[in-house]
Amino acid sequence: MLITHDTRCALDAVVDLVNTAPEDDATPEGLPDVDALTEFVRNHDISDVGVLSEFDLSAVRKIRGRFATVFAAPEPRSAAAVINELIAAAGTTPRLTDHDGYDWHVHYFAPGASVADHLAADCGMALAFFVVAGEQERLRRCEAPDCRRAFVDLSRNRSRRYCDSRTCGNRLHVAAYRARRKEAAG
Ligand SMILES: [Zn+2]
Ligand SMILES: [Zn+2]
């Protein structure tokens, strides 16, 4: 499956967005205020976004919850239903562009779209391509017991089970190794 520069950026943005949600009451909100949202927009080079407001913040948190369900979807049909709903609400306007020296590619957000609609349109379409390519199962949540972070598995054989943000895979390796040693010693 071909992943263009913009698709890659949209995937990084949506994964980071989903992972700003607090996992439980003990973890902090990753988008606590408008300043945090402004920083998120800047970090992800989200273009054509004006001054942000409380309205933008609550709209982005709302679509964040919808995107989270895409990563938790057990099969393509339920993922497709949520993606359809997100991109329909955002009102997409496909538009060819070769901005900033990148090859021709398509932007989906409508001119003047709010940041929430921008994310819903372009991230929604990036996820839609995974469903179209039969690759929906690459949109995953970490399987480590105390971590449910979203990630996109871009490994060749779709074998990734853990996110890399907290070296979950590595931690479990160590735990398994210790368990084996204990068994051998016991
Ligand atoms: Zn672009
Ligand atoms: Zn993890």
Side-chain angles (χ1 to χ4, degrees), residues 87-103:
I87 57 185
T92 53
T93 305
R95 191 167 71 262
L96 278 159
T97 172
D98 61 347
H99 69 95
D100 296 322
Y102 294 113
D103 279 342

Side-chain angles (χ1 to χ4, degrees), residues 37-174:
L37 179 61
T38 305
E39 199 181 321
F40 179 87
V41 164
R42 198 184 312 123
N43 288 344
H44 288 283
D45 268 330
I46 297 161
S47 52
D48 299 336
V49 172
V51 178
L52 300 170
S53 66
E54 289 291 335
F55 174 83
D56 290 307
L57 182 62
S58 73
V60 167
R61 282 189 190 155
K62 200 173 286 172
I63 61 156
R64 176 178 72 181
R66 303 306 293 144
F67 276 125
T69 64
V70 176
F71 281 84
E75 35 77 44
R77 188 164 302 278
S78 46
V82 180
I83 294 168
N84 276 342
E85 178 201 303
L86 273 163
I87 57 185
T92 53
T93 305
R95 191 167 71 262
L96 278 159
T97 172
D98 61 347
H99 69 95
D100 296 322
Y102 294 113
D103 279 342
W104 288 105
H105 60 280
V106 180
H107 281 178
Y108 296 94
F109 63 93
S114 70
V115 64
D117 284 348
H118 182 137
L119 288 167
D122 282 63
C123 298
M125 287 305 297
L127 299 182
F129 294 136
F130 276 77
V131 178
V132 170
E135 309 268 15
Q136 174 263 338
E137 63 173 308
R138 290 185 185 277
L139 311 174
R140 303 239 174 104
R141 290 199 154 238
C142 181
E143 290 179 26
D146 54 350
C147 175
R148 297 292 293 150
R149 291 174 70 87
F151 67 94
V152 179
D153 178 6
L154 295 175
S155 68
R156 255 173 70 189
N157 54 1
R158 312 179 192 187
S159 58
R160 233 181 106 191
R161 293 172 58 204
Y162 309 110
C163 75
D164 51 17
S165 58
R166 291 186 198 163
T167 59
C168 283
N170 190 34
R171 237 176 11 160
L172 283 159
H173 271 313
V174 171

